[in-house]
Amino acid sequence: MNLWSTRKKWVPLVCGSILLSSLIMPVQMSSAASSSTSSEMNIAANTSFTPGAVWNDTSGVPIQAHGGGVLYNQQDQTYYWYGEDKTNGYLPARGVHVYASKDLYNWEDKGLALTAIESEDDFTNDPLISKLYAGRKDTANILNDIGTNRIIERPKVIYNEKTGKYVMWMHTDGPSATSTANYAKAQAGYALSDSPTGPFVYGEGHRMDRAPKDAEYNGQPDQPGMARDMTLFKDDDGTAYLVYSSEENLTIYISKLNDSYTDITGWHKEGNVERDQEYQAVYGEDYVRVFPGAQREAPAMFKHNGKYYMVTSGATGWDPNVAKYTVADHIFGPWAPLKNFAPASQTTFDSQSTHILPVEGAPGTFIYMGDRWKKDNLKDSRYIWLPIEIADDGSIVLNWRDQWTLNDK
């Protein structure tokens, strides 16, 4: 039977958390009376999503939150959208930008949540950087990870109830000891903040889990622990996971984070704060590899009706390709064979997955967040937000909509 039979009953999913009240908000265009005010003009509030269009913040400036993700913060019942600031294009990096919203349509600029560092002098002379990193002895490592001439990609943030910290993870990259290539280092790093808007203070970056020594397939045996495109997933019990592309983007890894969400458990089997001298992770307990050799990246994950869903893209640089999804009853698998996620498009509507947003107060409602990259003008890359449709049998599909609202069925 055709998987996408029209006889199936589809339920729109909006990946993200959104207040239930916003699901019943009127969809008419707002009047001047409900417009936001900037210093130069009145900015009409958005009342719908228009995938691929320029998306301005509440001040009328295009949003810079590429490759990002959204956190719903229970403390103030607000969504926070974190992403790469591509104002300067590929490089120099500015850092991770953050925006706040109550309804997912309209986003207020909250500035840089994590600020990239220009030089070693900033640790002494820059008012913000010198305060954030006062007393740190590892400034050379910090600069090597989040310097303005380094790669800072795919930032995601979750909240840790045990520590009271907002925890950001990101792909950090740049030249390594053996290569001058921009993507040679292939690490993931974390930063912490007491507030969802920052400032986040960078901790450290590392390579992650490795293919088992007895693995039948290892896409990059000479470079163990690589981590590039990544996302975070926090389960219902508070356990968090780092999900990332490894082995030169040939294999997806799912690695369990420690209680503080500041490293993966596989490097701390001896129970110390510092990483073990020797890698001792237990496969199936600390991490798993998903579809070795399938060459998937840009993972995005959500949970629905007790099942775990993961969407990934192929690996074709800045160019879009066919997104696929897989389902599992347990986060460590086994994962079902890959299926097409957007069968009506061979390019996932000219986008690449970055996050799946559960809508707060609307169980079973999820939004696909994708980037429509413009490799020759990255700051003008667009956002593709679309509702995920879930069938009664648990299969999912992404369909195109020129414009839509959270009220649409």
Side-chain angles (χ1 to χ4, degrees):
M1 182 173 61
N2 185 344
L3 178 62
W4 310 120
S5 170
T6 57
R7 290 175 292 179
K8 291 186 177 180
K9 179 182 177 182
W10 294 101
V11 180
L13 269 153
V14 187
C15 293
S17 305
I18 186 168
L19 293 173
L20 183 59
S21 61
S22 60
L23 294 177
I24 57 175
M25 65 185 293
V27 299
Q28 291 83 4
M29 292 303 293
S30 59
S31 65
S34 62
S35 300
S36 300
T37 302
S38 71
S39 59
E40 297 180 356
M41 57 183 172
N42 289 329
I43 308 297
N46 296 320
T47 56
S48 63
F49 300 103
T50 307
V54 174
W55 198 344
N56 292 331
D57 62 26
T58 53
S59 296
V61 178
I63 293 171
Q64 290 293 325
H66 310 283
V70 172
L71 165 74
Y72 180 74
N73 189 46
Q74 294 287 349
Q75 283 84 338
D76 60 2
Q77 299 184 329
T78 301
Y79 294 95
Y80 291 94
W81 182 3
Y82 306 87
E84 306 161 27
D85 188 319
K86 296 294 189 186
T87 300
N88 298 329
Y90 184 60
L91 289 174
R94 295 194 69 226
V96 177
H97 217 119
V98 59
Y99 298 82
S101 176
K102 292 290 188 179
D103 61 10
L104 293 178
Y105 301 121
N106 300 281
W107 295 88
E108 181 184 357
D109 185 359
K110 293 295 185 178
L112 290 175
L114 177 76
T115 301
I117 301 170
E118 186 172 355
S119 71
E120 186 73 33
D121 290 342
D122 287 353
F123 292 105
T124 301
N125 300 321
D126 183 273
L128 174 64
I129 301 304
S130 61
K131 180 179 179 181
L132 294 180
Y133 297 97
R136 292 282 291 267
K137 305 299 184 182
D138 58 342
T139 55
N141 291 333
I142 297 169
L143 183 63
N144 192 40
D145 282 0
I146 60 166
T148 55
N149 62 342
R150 293 294 186 257
I151 306 300
I152 305 171
E153 293 181 338
R154 303 276 166 173
K156 306 294 187 294
V157 174
I158 53 178
Y159 179 70
N160 190 318
E161 284 82 3
K162 293 180 180 179
T163 64
K165 297 288 187 180
Y166 295 87
V167 185
M168 176 188 294
W169 276 85
M170 71 214 81
H171 164 214
T172 62
D173 226 322
S176 69
T178 59
S179 173
T180 59
N182 275 337
Y183 285 88
K185 193 164 59 171
Q187 294 183 349
Y190 76 91
L192 301 176
S193 176
D194 294 323
S195 164
T197 57
F200 280 78
V201 179
Y202 189 76
E204 58 186 4
H206 293 285
R207 287 203 167 180
M208 297 290 124
D209 279 311
R210 302 174 174 182
K213 293 180 180 179
D214 61 351
E216 294 183 4
Y217 175 87
N218 185 345
Q220 183 50 279
D222 297 330
Q223 293 289 332
M226 300 177 85
R228 291 200 176 117
D229 280 8
M230 51 134 291
T231 192
L232 287 173
F233 178 78
K234 183 179 175 182
D235 213 339
D236 302 331
D237 63 359
T239 305
Y241 300 85
L242 186 68
V243 185
Y244 53 98
S245 186
S246 188
E247 300 173 20
E248 288 289 5
N249 301 336
L250 289 167
T251 303
I252 294 291
Y253 281 53
I254 302 174
S255 297
K256 185 186 296 184
L257 292 174
N258 59 18
D259 287 346
S260 62
Y261 303 166
T262 56
D263 203 357
I264 56 176
T265 59
W267 275 101
H268 298 269
K269 303 304 287 184
E270 296 176 7
N272 299 318
V273 174
E274 301 80 11
R275 280 193 158 196
D276 300 335
Q277 292 295 313
E278 182 179 341
Y279 180 64
Q280 305 171 54
V282 178
Y283 190 85
E285 176 182 308
D286 297 303
Y287 78 107
V288 292
R289 301 158 76 224
V290 183
F291 305 119
Q295 200 170 28
R296 309 301 298 173
E297 63 179 15
M301 185 178 288
F302 70 99
K303 188 177 184 180
H304 175 64
N305 285 346
K307 293 185 179 293
Y308 299 85
Y309 291 78
M310 180 165 55
V311 175
T312 57
S313 77
T316 54
W318 298 107
D319 298 324
N321 52 60
V322 177
K324 296 184 178 182
Y325 80 92
T326 178
V327 187
D329 292 324
H330 189 280
I331 194 167
F332 278 173
W335 289 86
L338 291 164
K339 296 180 180 179
N340 284 348
F341 178 49
S345 173
Q346 291 298 302
T347 61
T348 319
F349 308 114
D350 295 330
S351 74
Q352 183 183 39
S353 51
T354 183
H355 184 65
I356 292 176
L357 172 65
V359 176
E360 181 68 18
T365 303
F366 301 88
I367 297 171
Y368 163 83
M369 292 173 55
D371 292 286
R372 180 174 288 174
W373 298 111
K374 291 188 176 183
K375 57 186 175 183
D376 296 323
N377 188 15
L378 286 173
K379 71 176 182 180
D380 191 38
S381 298
R382 306 295 174 82
Y383 309 103
I384 306 298
W385 285 28
L386 290 166
I388 297 176
E389 300 173 20
I390 303 181
D392 291 341
D393 65 358
S395 55
I396 64 175
V397 68
L398 191 72
N399 286 312
W400 178 257
R401 302 189 188 193
D402 290 332
Q403 192 172 54
W404 63 282
T405 75
L406 295 167
N407 296 340
D408 293 348
K409 302 298 183 183

